[in-house]
Structure formats: structure tokens, C-alpha cells
Amino acid sequence: MPATMTPQVRFRSVDGVRIRYADSGGSRESVILLTSPWPESVYAFAPMWDTLSGHARLFAVDLPGFGASERREDLLSPRAMGEFLARLITEADLGTPHIVAPDVGTSAALFAADAHPERIASVTVGTGGAAVPLQLGEPLASWVLDPDLDKYRKMDPRVIVGAAADTIAGGIPDDIRADYLACYDGDRFVESMRYVRRYPEELPVLAGLLPRIAVPVTIINGRHDRVVPLANAEFLDERLPTSRLVVIDAGHFVWEEAPAEYASAVLDSITGNWP
């Protein structure tokens, strides 16, 4: 990866798992913990890295099994990943961070907020499966519900990930695209599918917890998201006691398609400057 790419990534062990992360450093009072979306990586936050790092220390991570982080089977579920987030906060000495967890991080961050509210200042989620019953578009619906996982092993993961990247309005830099393809090469993509295939089992559990989550939650969704329709964000907003819904004129990959608007919503969430 070119040395000029921002953010600059490193590796470390957390809870015995080797993860890839980026840390903007500095002594700013606020800390933002960002979890990368799927099938992308920490570089999904590159378009807003400079903006956000001007207001807070950023710690971005590829969750276990995603991006370039090591996979561990017992962590490939939203609830287990929520516990991992809590351990990461402690082991990385992040204090009480604001979590920004789009896409697959949505359910994990909300599980963490329910179980460990004292460790989290606020949560920003969205574009992740949440509604019960499931309301997912293609190809995600098939990835979650298709009983035959083996057929996906026969597919070229670079074609699957490349097709997803091609839907990002405005495109992405070639080096970042290359990182996404490398992160999910071999069996990496099909094995990461195991996480979302836990949605039918775990999202109903999460739905029951939503009314008691005390941490303030911002939900950001693209208005034209056909993969994870806006109904998922509305489902959360209707049930969370302290939440706001921000709808941006973009598709599924809203953080890359409209980084200025996304960053602005994140900054409002960490300052408590809710309209």
C-alpha cells in the first residue's frame, strides 16, 4: 500500500486476535472509534479522515474477520463482536469513545452500548441490518438467507467485492480499491458472510434491547440505499429512547459517496449538537 495513503495502518493484538487499525494520535479530548464497513476496510474513512481528525483522535479498526484483520470464528456474530468492541476500548486505552460503526458494525455497536454503556460516549450507526422481520435488498438478502453457503466458495471473491465497489457513486481511488480486493481474497469474503448470516437469530434479540439503550445514538442512512433500505434506520429510530435519524442523499456507501455530509453528522453527534 502506498505510504501516502491516509490513514496509515498498523497491526496489533487485541483479545488474542491480530487486527489492523489506524490511529491519528494526538491529545484531543474526544476519541472516535470507527469500525470499517463490509466489504471495505479502514480506508473507507479516508475521505473524511482529515476533517474528523481535526476535532478528535481517530482510532479506526478492521473488525476480526473483516478488512485485513485476523478471523476468529467465535467473534463472527453481532453480539460477540459487541463484546470485542468493549475489550478493544479497554485494551487500546481509548477512554470513553464515540463509536462510529456503519454497516455490519451497526448491530455490534448497539449490543456493546446495551451491555457496556459506561464505556461509550455515543454511537453513530446506520446502513446495517436491524429491522425485524428482515428488510434487506440484494445481494445482501441472499448472502444472509441462502441455505447453500458452499456455492459462494466457487465464486471469485474479487469479482464480488469489485462489483460492490463499482456501485460507489463517484468511484474510489485505485489503491483503496486494491486494498478492498486484497482484504477479501481467497476464502476471506465467504467466511466473513458468516457474520451477517447470524442476523436472523440475533437481530430479534437486539430489537428487544433497543428501548433500554441509554447511550445517545445517531443513525445515518443513504436515502437511495437498496442494499439496506431506509426502513432499517427507521426501525432503530422508532425504538431507541435517545436517537436521531440523518438521511443523506446517497446510496449504500454513504460515507464514501457523501463524506462531507457524513462527517458533519458525526461531528454533531460527538458534540451533542443535534438539530
Side-chain angles (χ1 to χ4, degrees):
M1 198 58 55
T4 56
M5 282 187 67
T6 300
Q8 298 295 303
V9 297
R10 289 172 276 180
F11 289 85
R12 64 175 292 167
S13 178
V14 174
D15 193 32
V17 182
R18 186 173 184 262
I19 62 163
R20 186 173 73 167
Y21 73 101
D23 188 347
S24 69
S27 57
R28 296 191 179 278
E29 183 177 346
S30 296
V31 177
I32 301 177
L33 168 58
L34 305 104
T35 69
S36 61
W38 180 59
E40 297 157 281
S41 73
V42 292
Y43 289 113
F45 302 115
M48 69 183 82
W49 190 261
D50 288 343
T51 298
L52 293 180
S53 62
H55 298 269
R57 174 191 170 193
L58 308 184
F59 190 100
V61 61
D62 287 336
L63 292 172
F66 295 96
S69 289
E70 182 182 17
R71 180 174 68 243
R72 201 173 80 193
E73 300 298 329
D74 65 302
L75 293 178
L76 290 179
S77 80
R79 196 165 201 169
M81 200 68 82
E83 287 300 313
F84 177 83
L85 279 175
R87 289 192 290 271
L88 171 63
I89 290 169
T90 299
E91 292 193 27
D93 195 22
L94 299 180
T96 308
H98 300 270
I99 296 180
V100 175
D103 195 64
V104 290
T106 291
S107 47
L110 291 173
F111 270 121
D114 172 70
H116 305 282
E118 74 287 351
R119 302 188 193 181
I120 300 167
S122 74
V123 171
T124 298
V125 293
T127 73
V132 179
L134 294 176
Q135 297 194 50
L136 304 173
E138 293 296 347
L140 182 58
S142 293
W143 295 349
V144 171
L145 298 171
D146 195 326
D148 184 13
L149 185 62
D150 286 340
K151 77 179 185 183
Y152 294 97
R153 299 185 187 279
K154 302 173 184 176
M155 300 180 182
D156 184 347
R158 298 177 71 87
V159 172
I160 297 174
V161 176
D166 287 343
T167 68
I168 299 175
I172 55 176
D174 289 343
D175 46 7
I176 290 180
R177 179 189 176 92
D179 181 73
Y180 296 168
L181 296 177
C183 283
Y184 293 97
D185 206 3
D187 71 347
R188 294 274 302 173
F189 180 79
V190 70
E191 291 301 323
S192 68
M193 289 174 63
R194 294 186 183 278
Y195 179 94
V196 297
R197 291 170 73 83
R198 297 292 297 274
Y199 281 0
E201 172 189 348
E202 296 204 347
L203 290 186
V205 176
L206 178 61
L209 301 176
L210 294 176
R212 73 181 197 186
I213 293 177
V215 174
V217 180
T218 294
I219 309 147
I220 306 175
N221 222 91
R223 188 181 308 278
H224 311 294
D225 190 341
R226 297 181 179 180
V227 178
V228 183
L230 184 58
N232 290 271
E234 295 169 337
F235 182 90
L236 293 175
D237 191 41
E238 290 167 2
R239 289 161 178 79
L240 288 162
T242 308
S243 67
R244 67 169 182 140
L245 174 58
V246 179
V247 181
I248 295 176
D249 192 23
H252 177 68
F253 299 98
V254 58
W255 44 88
E256 288 177 286
E257 295 180 12
E261 293 92 331
Y262 195 96
S264 178
V266 169
L267 293 176
D268 283 343
S269 73
I270 71 172
T271 60
N273 182 29
W274 290 17

